[in-house]
Amino acid sequence: MRLYGLLDSVPFIAIFAISLVIAWLSFEGGFRIGLRRSQRQDHEQEVVVRSEVGAILGLVTFILALTFWIATFHFDSVRQAKLNEANAIRTAFLRADLLPEPHRAEIQDLLREYVNIRLDAARSGNLEYAISRSEELQRSLWSQAVAASSKVSSPIFGGYFIQSLNEVIALHSRRLTVGLEFRIPSGIWIVLFMIMSLAILAIGCHAGLTGARRPLVVIAFVVTFSMVMTLIADLDSPRRGALRVSHKAMVDLQNMMNAPNH
Amino acid sequence: MQLHGLLDALPLWALFVATFAIAWLSFEGGFLIGKRRSRKSEREREVVGGGLVEGMMGLAAFMLAFTFGAAATHFDARRQAVLDEAKAIRTAYMRADLLPEPYRAEIRNLLREYVDVRLESVRSGKIEEAIARSEELQNRLWLQATTSSEKASNPAFAEQFIQPLNEIIALHTRHVIVGLEFRIPNIIWIVLYVITALASASIGYHSGLTGSRRPLVAMAVILAFSTVIFLIEDLDRPKGGFLKISNRALADLQMKMNAQIR
């Protein structure tokens, strides 16, 4: 049940269309049920239904809004994780200056490649390769660090470089977790769609009970809910859609590393 | 990023007027449609009263509230960035005492200029220039630190200085990214405006249907929504507006540094 895997292959405009269709069908269904019942029911029934509709709408609004909040939070975490990673790499790169040659040049080359891989992966979307290559580079960096720290003039500098390298490695796995696992679970998506269609069904039922025509406001209502659903889906997938996490921190770092004085 | 450019170029009061106008026109549009419908259908108004408009208003209010929360978080992050930076610069400035001359004096001059550049950029608004100059100063500071570490009597002292210097460099990146990139994304602005317009239109539609025009109440609702959007925009702007980030921490630091020379 990896529904977000499923949603990931669908363009956002399709998610919008699907929510619209589901919402509209629910309304039509509810409207027909209500119309059929309207002949036998007395007016009192209508008042009860009205308050029930209010309750279910309140619930849907709450859940939708909170899911939006969670999605915003995830989006911000991805942003934060990227920034922290860029900063850790920069610190390690600078600290390599305190290590003796040839380790210094070797380590700085490895870190340069580390950053290039990240930016390439962001452009091409080929994550599998980037992850395995990054972990390979981490192992080479580590053995370089260990070798360098035994030769360093003062063990303090070796120790601090190792500390910053540890941070780079830790933030790599944190970023993977945040980027790939911090998603809205499929269960929540199913519940969201279900309660949205139930709420709209209830509205339709109420509209049918009163025997009125289809109210025009339903269009605005259905569009609003579908838009929020699409926005949540977009926030939830930070690598595609209109909402993407920027690579500015990494690009700046790449420029710094390739600058002539380094 | 074009929309941000456009939104930032407009003064805040113009945005407020534009938001208010959009919401008000939507209300009037909804009112006209509702009035036309009311001749044909009498019972629809019960349906519209039965939760549809309330549901939409509720969702719009929640979305505004959560976006407000996100903007306030970003505002706090920017404020925190200034504080952290001032703290790191102060620590580095003090620890320069542990380094031998002539590095000590040179580093202190560079740090003094670093603070001046930051405060000057706030006054003049030339951000790009200040960023470039800061990074140049960072390079020179780093060069001083690494050369002094080779000559320091005790490398542990040099390390004591290098640590806050790394922090200064990392916090600069954070400051730049938080200030320029941690904004409310364009697509969320678009959705907010569409939802607000649709919600205002449905209030208008409802009052058109019932034939009871209460412009004062509608005006109050629209005014409240526009004010909140205005506040979000103000919080979201990196510079200017009514909500400014205080640079007091940096100004205090500048005063202390200058007092020490005399």
Side-chain angles (χ1 to χ4, degrees), chain A residues 27 43 46 50 53-54 57-58 60-62 64-66 68-69 72 75-76 79-80 83-84 86-87 90-91 94-98 104 153-154 156-157 160 163 203 206-225 227-228 231 234-235 242-243 246-249 252 256 261-262, chain B residues 33 37 40-41 43-56 58-60 62-63 66-67 69-70 73-74 135 138-139 142 145-146 149-150 154-160 162-163 166 169-171 173-174 176-178 180-188 190-192 194-195 198-199 202 205-206 209:
Chain A
F27 179 77
H43 190 70
E46 196 267 321
R50 173 181 296 191
V53 168
L57 263 175
V60 170
T61 309
F62 256 122
L64 209 56
L66 280 173
F68 171 70
W69 175 243
T72 315
F75 189 74
D76 265 357
R79 240 173 357 190
Q80 198 71 51
L83 174 58
N84 290 344
N87 263 338
R90 183 186 298 256
T91 304
L94 288 174
R95 284 200 172 236
D97 277 347
L98 302 170
R104 179 199 303 179
S153 55
S154 155
I156 290 172
F157 295 136
Y160 278 105
Q163 203 181 335
I203 293 170
H206 176 247
L209 269 182
T210 57
R213 300 196 310 157
R214 285 166 184 76
L216 263 182
V217 190
V218 166
I219 299 170
F221 185 81
V222 164
V223 168
T224 305
F225 272 73
M227 248 169 47
V228 174
L231 192 61
D234 199 346
L235 274 170
L243 282 160
S246 108
H247 310 300
K248 188 174 173 3
D252 284 355
M256 182 279 256
N261 52 350
H262 268 294
Chain B
I33 299 170
R37 286 273 289 198
K40 301 182 212 154
S41 149
R43 304 190 73 177
E44 192 182 330
R45 76 179 65 134
E46 290 179 37
V47 183
V48 174
L52 272 174
V53 175
E54 290 94 323
M56 278 191 58
L59 191 59
F62 266 121
M63 294 291 287
F66 282 135
T67 313
T73 310
H74 296 163
E135 278 162 11
Q138 284 170 11
N139 282 342
W142 185 253
T146 44
S149 75
E150 283 154 19
N154 183 348
F157 284 165
E159 176 53 42
Q160 286 296 308
I162 286 175
Q163 221 171 339
N166 276 142
I169 296 171
L171 284 170
T173 319
R174 168 172 300 273
V176 170
I177 300 291
V178 165
L180 300 179
E181 304 279 317
F182 279 29
R183 309 280 306 270
I184 304 285
N186 293 343
I187 188 81
I188 292 190
I190 296 170
V191 169
L192 275 186
V194 173
I195 288 182
L198 283 176
S202 19
Y205 183 75
H206 188 213
L209 267 185

Side-chain angles (χ1 to χ4, degrees), chain B residues 36-109:
Chain B
R36 198 168 306 150
R37 286 273 289 198
S38 73
R39 292 185 204 118
K40 301 182 212 154
S41 149
E42 285 178 7
R43 304 190 73 177
E44 192 182 330
R45 76 179 65 134
E46 290 179 37
V47 183
V48 174
L52 272 174
V53 175
E54 290 94 323
M56 278 191 58
M57 292 301 290
L59 191 59
F62 266 121
M63 294 291 287
L64 277 184
F66 282 135
T67 313
F68 174 75
T73 310
H74 296 163
F75 184 78
D76 261 1
R78 287 201 287 275
R79 200 149 54 175
Q80 194 65 46
V82 174
L83 275 183
D84 290 345
E85 234 179 348
K87 196 174 134 209
I89 297 171
R90 176 174 307 210
T91 309
Y93 190 80
M94 285 166 74
R95 292 211 182 148
D97 269 348
L98 301 173
L99 299 177
E101 290 288 6
Y103 304 106
R104 183 194 306 171
E106 181 61 29
I107 282 173
R108 290 197 153 170
N109 283 335

Side-chain angles (χ1 to χ4, degrees), chain A residues 43-115:
Chain A
H43 190 70
E44 204 176 316
Q45 197 73 22
E46 196 267 321
V47 180
V48 176
V49 172
R50 173 181 296 191
S51 66
E52 283 161 0
V53 168
I56 194 170
L57 263 175
L59 187 66
V60 170
T61 309
F62 256 122
I63 291 189
L64 209 56
L66 280 173
T67 314
F68 171 70
W69 175 243
I70 294 170
T72 315
F73 181 74
H74 288 173
F75 189 74
D76 265 357
S77 318
V78 173
R79 240 173 357 190
Q80 198 71 51
K82 254 184 149 160
L83 174 58
N84 290 344
E85 195 181 26
N87 263 338
I89 298 173
R90 183 186 298 256
T91 304
F93 185 83
L94 288 174
R95 284 200 172 236
D97 277 347
L98 302 170
L99 300 177
E101 292 287 9
H103 302 291
R104 179 199 303 179
E106 186 64 31
I107 284 173
Q108 291 188 337
D109 282 343
L110 287 170
L111 284 172
R112 249 181 231 120
E113 192 188 342
Y114 198 71
V115 169

